Amino acid sequence: MLQLTLFYIFAVLAVLGGIMVVVHRNPIYSALSLILTLFALAGEYILLMAHFIAIVHIAVYAGAIMVLFLFVIMLLNIRIEERAPGALRYMVYIGVPMAAILFLQLGYLAFKGFQEVYVKNTDVGTVERIGQALFSKYVLPFEITSILLVVAMVGAVYLSKRKLEIVE
Amino acid sequence: MQGIPISHFLVLSAILFSLGVIGVTIRRNAIVIFMSIELMLNAVNLSFLAFSNYLNNVEGQIFVFMVMVVAAAEVAVGLAIIVAIFRLRETVHVDDIKLLKW
């Protein structure tokens, strides 16, 4: 019961943060709401017995990625987005009913042979299990990610060092 | 004492993914579009972890790890591109940047 209560608290926080990310006109508030969502999601990961991923999630997303986002937002001094009248006019009349139909169909198919299962108390999310899998069976993909990170780093340095020009 | 149903996590994941799609569609600030993409990646991660717990399978956790690495790389390169575009055009609104649009 306590777990379910915690799940709903974190879920409401995550959805509220997500809505604020989408609707807020000031990008700084969007970034701060995204941090709220990420922390709430870390709570959900812990409820799913994925402790290692929860810690790494906080360290990588809240610690690195969101700092980078806020840094760039403050660096660029972005103005508040103004409204575009009539941008959603046709989307409301056609898009929303079609999305509703799609979700009803998918939901019907998904719940037709539905049998509820519950979160199990496993050790699948511990550092031990993940480390064993990561350094034995998945050691090659793990090493390749280091190449990906080096490529991203070189690309970011190159792009931000050089002043680009428009080629007609 | 039953615990939390797995389907709750999947519904939450679907809601967050839809919010991310809405953000990418209706926002015009390139940085906020980026944040919405992060929201979608996190929704998918939640799905992966829910199924990893359901199947008692460690591959889901490994995949989430890889998604995080790719997200970090993507943010570094993407924000560098946004900074470069801002230095070139003095704007990050995607309505003003239509170099590839014919």
Side-chain angles (χ1 to χ4, degrees):
Chain A
M1 201 57 217
L2 173 68
Q3 289 172 334
L4 207 57
T5 316
L6 278 175
F7 170 84
Y8 279 117
I9 291 171
F10 285 134
V12 167
L13 280 179
V15 172
L16 272 182
I19 290 173
M20 291 293 279
V21 169
V22 174
V23 301
H24 221 290
R25 301 205 167 268
N26 193 339
I28 288 182
Y29 289 120
S30 292
L32 293 177
S33 312
L34 187 56
I35 292 176
L36 174 70
T37 302
L38 294 177
F39 271 103
L41 276 174
E44 302 282 5
Y45 294 169
I46 290 174
L47 289 176
L48 273 171
M49 304 289 158
H51 303 110
F52 172 72
I53 294 291
I55 298 299
V56 170
H57 181 263
I58 288 181
V60 171
Y61 274 99
I65 291 182
M66 290 321 294
V67 170
L68 204 59
F69 264 112
L70 285 172
F71 182 72
V72 169
I73 290 171
M74 307 225 177
L75 190 73
L76 297 189
N77 192 16
I78 295 162
R79 65 183 192 279
I80 292 173
E81 203 173 308
E82 70 269 18
R83 286 172 197 279
L88 294 175
R89 202 169 38 202
Y90 301 110
M91 214 190 281
V92 169
Y93 291 136
I94 301 170
V96 172
M98 289 185 78
I101 291 170
L102 178 69
F103 268 79
L104 283 177
Q105 281 178 338
L106 286 177
Y108 175 69
L109 283 178
F111 283 91
K112 209 160 59 173
F114 183 67
Q115 192 185 6
E116 188 69 275
V117 287
Y118 295 93
V119 172
K120 290 180 300 227
N121 194 0
T122 65
D123 66 337
V124 77
T126 55
V127 182
E128 191 185 349
R129 285 282 302 271
I130 294 178
Q132 273 174 2
L134 203 58
F135 289 110
S136 58
K137 195 175 170 187
Y138 296 101
V139 69
L140 184 63
F142 179 67
E143 294 294 334
I144 290 174
T145 54
S146 65
I147 298 176
L148 176 71
L149 285 176
V150 169
V151 170
M153 206 164 68
V154 171
V157 169
Y158 175 78
L159 279 171
S160 44
K161 193 175 154 212
R162 185 161 201 188
K163 180 128 173 91
L164 303 175
E165 282 160 17
I166 301 173
V167 181
E168 293 296 337
Chain B
M1 193 55 212
Q2 282 276 34
I4 313 163
I6 294 282
S7 60
H8 284 36
F9 286 100
L10 299 179
V11 170
L12 175 63
S13 167
I15 292 171
L16 286 177
F17 193 89
S18 309
L19 279 173
V21 173
I22 292 170
V24 170
T25 315
I26 70 173
R27 292 306 295 265
R28 281 158 298 139
N29 190 330
I31 292 180
V32 180
I33 290 177
F34 240 70
M35 286 188 229
S36 303
I37 292 173
E38 294 298 318
L39 206 59
M40 286 197 273
L41 286 172
N42 277 294
V44 172
N45 279 354
L46 187 63
S47 256
F48 267 125
L49 289 178
F51 280 119
S52 166
N53 186 288
Y54 168 51
L55 299 170
N56 201 4
N57 195 342
V58 80
E59 267 88 359
Q61 318 261 344
I62 304 286
F63 219 105
V64 170
F65 188 77
M66 299 295 170
V67 168
M68 277 185 192
V69 172
V70 172
E74 174 225 332
V75 164
V77 175
L79 288 177
I81 289 174
I82 289 176
V83 170
I85 287 174
F86 187 81
R87 283 164 64 177
L88 193 65
R89 292 288 178 96
E90 301 280 317
T91 180
V92 290
H93 280 222
V94 290
D95 285 346
D96 304 333
I97 309 161
K98 39 194 173 190
L99 204 64
L100 288 181
K101 218 189 245 177
W102 183 57

